[in-house]
């Protein structure tokens, strides 16, 4: 942030920070900040509230196919109940045709246990999937379920354009800002599987459009 401010001042450029900054927000041209980072609306006119962190997922046109389950792990906000999670995945994966991918936080050996307990799943360990694998899948799958702890993957899935459902995990902190953001999404009808709603996020486009519109005034 000091480097960003220095360069903006040196070249008389607009500074844009994509998070809640470490300095006063009024020091920057624009601050694009996830709405769940605030309990009260910020007063600064240079703040653009986004739903989650921005991402690079761009949905593709055409027919969607495939079903995907994304598994996270324990965090400061969520616990990890292996037995309960396997039971929930078994309920979701009825009918076959499902792929499962884990993450760096998933306990070692979980996919192996899951494969023994639930037949017919195609496994994608994160160590073997390439850097762009997830984004490539999310833009074309028909349906995706994400464990509640995997906040960034939930927002990426909603941006991808398929039907999205959330697998509940044991909450350790109901007052966490990420839980607040999740409940906002649910209340506004973004989850199309299990909750009966369904809307796509396009936050990078929306926030960029606001900045470009204000620049041209």
């Amino acid at each position: 942030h000091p480097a960003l401010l220095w360069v903006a001042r040196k070249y008389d450029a607009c500074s844009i920070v994509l998070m809640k900054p470490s300095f006063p927000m009024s020091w920057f041209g624009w601050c694009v900040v996830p709405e769940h980072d605030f309990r009260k609306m910020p007063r600064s006119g240079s703040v653009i509230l986004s739903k989650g962190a921005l991402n690079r997922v761009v949905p593709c046109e055409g027919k969607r196919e495939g079903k995907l389950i994304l598994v996270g792990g324990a965090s400061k906000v969520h616990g990890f109940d292996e037995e309960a999670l396997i039971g929930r995945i078994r309920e979701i994966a009825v009918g076959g045709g499902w792929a499962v991918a884990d993450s760096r936080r998933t306990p070692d050996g979980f996919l192996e246990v899951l494969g023994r307990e639930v037949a017919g799943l195609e496994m994608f360990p994160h160590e073997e999937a390439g850097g762009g694998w997830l984004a490539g899948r999310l833009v074309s799958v028909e349906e995706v379920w994400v464990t509640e702890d995997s906040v960034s993957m939930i927002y990426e899935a909603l941006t991808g354009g398929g039907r999205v459902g959330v697998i509940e995990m044991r909450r350790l902190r109901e007052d966490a800002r990420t839980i607040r953001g999740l409940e906002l999404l649910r209340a506004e009808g973004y989850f199309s599987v299990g909750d009966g709603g369904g809307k796509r996020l396009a936050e990078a486009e929306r926030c960029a459009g606001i900045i470009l519109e204000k620049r041209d005034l």
Side-chain angles (χ1 to χ4, degrees):
H1 293 172
L4 173 64
L5 292 169
W6 183 85
V7 171
R9 182 173 181 179
K10 178 178 176 63
Y11 294 101
D12 191 26
C14 178
S15 60
I16 303 173
V17 60
L18 303 182
M19 61 183 297
K20 192 174 183 179
S22 50
F23 294 109
M25 289 182 288
S26 59
W27 291 13
F28 298 87
W30 291 100
C31 298
V32 182
V33 187
E35 62 182 1
H36 60 242
D37 281 356
F38 297 100
R39 290 191 176 275
K40 296 181 179 180
M41 289 288 291
R43 296 181 179 179
S44 175
S46 62
V47 176
I48 299 173
L49 297 181
S50 65
K51 293 191 178 300
L54 303 189
N55 60 73
R56 299 180 181 182
V57 175
V58 180
C60 63
E61 301 294 333
K63 182 180 178 181
R64 290 184 168 271
E65 56 184 8
K67 295 174 284 187
L68 180 63
I69 296 172
L70 301 175
V71 178
S75 68
K76 294 180 180 179
V77 179
H78 289 91
F80 189 89
D81 186 331
E82 181 178 280
E83 183 178 350
L85 179 56
I86 290 175
R88 187 70 182 99
I89 292 175
R90 183 182 291 110
E91 295 173 357
I92 293 169
V94 172
W98 287 85
V100 180
D102 67 356
S103 69
R104 290 189 300 271
R105 289 187 295 104
T106 307
D108 293 340
F110 175 76
L111 290 186
E112 288 79 1
V113 175
L114 177 63
R116 291 195 299 267
E117 296 291 331
V118 184
L121 299 175
E122 185 178 9
M123 303 297 185
F124 290 92
H126 70 276
E127 301 92 342
E128 300 175 11
W133 180 88
L134 179 57
R137 275 298 186 99
L138 289 177
V139 300
S140 59
V141 294
E142 179 183 0
E143 183 174 332
V144 56
W145 285 79
V146 190
T147 57
E148 190 178 83
D149 61 280
S150 303
V151 177
S152 61
M153 290 197 293
I154 289 174
Y155 287 103
E156 289 169 350
L158 288 170
T159 307
R163 299 196 306 272
V164 179
V166 174
I167 300 175
E168 294 182 356
M169 303 286 277
R170 182 165 55 90
R171 295 180 179 181
L172 306 178
R173 289 181 50 201
E174 287 284 351
D175 63 337
R177 60 188 179 85
T178 53
I179 295 294
R180 191 160 62 245
L182 184 66
E183 293 304 325
L184 282 172
L185 291 174
R186 179 169 285 118
E188 294 171 14
Y190 277 91
F191 301 124
S192 53
V193 186
D195 287 343
K199 294 189 290 185
R200 184 180 80 83
L201 287 178
E203 291 298 271
E205 300 169 30
R206 184 183 67 83
C207 294
I210 292 173
I211 293 171
L212 291 173
E213 179 183 2
K214 297 294 185 180
R215 182 197 65 178
D216 293 336
L217 292 178

